[in-house]
Amino acid sequence: KKIENLKEILWATGQVADYRELVGQLKTEEAKEKLLEEMTKRFSRDGRNRELFRIYRGEDYKERILELIERHPETESFLEMTRFIQKDFPNQSFRAYQNKITKMLAVSQAKDYPEIVFHLKIMASLRLVEEFKKLLGWIRETYPRRRNLMNDLNELEQLT
């Protein structure tokens, strides 16, 4: 009964402290894993990615954060999540940023260019030089008529 009550509190609040209190009551690793799966399904279904991220970050579950990024690249916590894992998963972080930028460019308007360039600067800091050059080349080849974007890319290349 106590565990069910703690679960209800966690579902309502999504707080790391509530998660830890509940996990402290569980006796086996299997029960903890089952809770994680249930919480992930419930919070993902309800669009509560930020709460999931906070719990995963608090427990240093970087692989789960990576999965969350891959499943929900549109989440408001995208930047915070990728920054948290990028040292441990530079290639996957690069791909996540690349996917996000690709989607933004597909429907892009000039007002989105500063955000795109911001993500590109972070990607440059991951030091995946060849992949970064390929991506910039692809953007130039695919969107040559977007002059403002091309100007931003020229400035970015001078910085890197």
Side-chain angles (χ1 to χ4, degrees):
K1 184 77 176 161
K2 182 177 183 178
I3 289 176
E4 288 305 315
N5 288 340
L6 290 173
K7 277 186 180 181
E8 289 304 317
I9 291 170
L10 176 61
W11 303 156
T13 67
Q15 296 296 314
V16 176
D18 295 328
Y19 170 78
R20 287 187 176 153
E21 185 175 347
L22 175 55
V23 166
Q25 297 295 314
L26 300 175
K27 304 290 186 222
T28 66
E29 286 301 314
E30 185 180 317
K32 292 175 186 177
E33 188 62 32
K34 187 176 175 185
L35 170 67
L36 265 174
E37 293 304 320
E38 183 180 359
M39 180 183 65
T40 299
K41 284 179 187 173
R42 183 181 289 246
F43 284 13
S44 289
R45 181 190 66 219
D46 297 341
R48 297 173 67 187
N49 298 318
R50 187 171 200 71
E51 285 115 328
L52 265 180
F53 167 60
R54 286 181 179 151
I55 291 169
Y56 290 166
R57 181 181 58 195
E59 299 298 313
D60 204 35
Y61 292 148
K62 292 181 179 173
E63 292 86 3
R64 287 185 176 270
I65 293 171
L66 179 59
E67 290 171 15
L68 189 60
I69 292 168
E70 290 170 349
R71 280 196 320 268
H72 304 283
E74 73 291 341
T75 186
E76 66 185 40
S77 303
F78 175 85
L79 184 60
E80 196 177 353
M81 288 190 281
T82 49
R83 283 191 168 167
F84 185 74
I85 66 159
Q86 69 188 24
K87 285 182 184 163
D88 295 304
F89 299 102
N91 292 322
Q92 294 91 332
S93 296
F94 187 92
R95 254 194 333 275
Y97 280 114
Q98 185 174 355
N99 291 339
K100 185 168 187 77
I101 288 170
T102 302
K103 287 178 184 174
M104 291 175 74
L105 285 168
V107 295
S108 180
Q109 299 172 354
K111 68 177 179 61
D112 296 327
Y113 295 165
E115 184 179 354
I116 291 168
V117 171
F118 176 76
H119 289 305
L120 286 168
K121 285 179 182 177
I122 294 170
M123 292 173 78
S125 75
L126 295 174
R127 305 278 187 240
L128 299 171
V129 178
E130 288 305 311
E131 291 89 340
F132 188 69
K133 285 181 181 178
K134 285 180 188 176
L135 176 62
L136 292 183
W138 176 82
I139 293 171
R140 288 185 189 289
E141 195 175 291
T142 307
Y143 303 104
R145 293 184 181 185
R146 297 184 182 181
R147 287 191 183 103
N148 290 338
L149 178 61
M150 295 304 118
N151 291 338
D152 289 342
L153 293 182
N154 290 336
E155 289 177 23
L156 177 64
E157 282 182 321
Q158 290 173 358
L159 297 174
T160 58

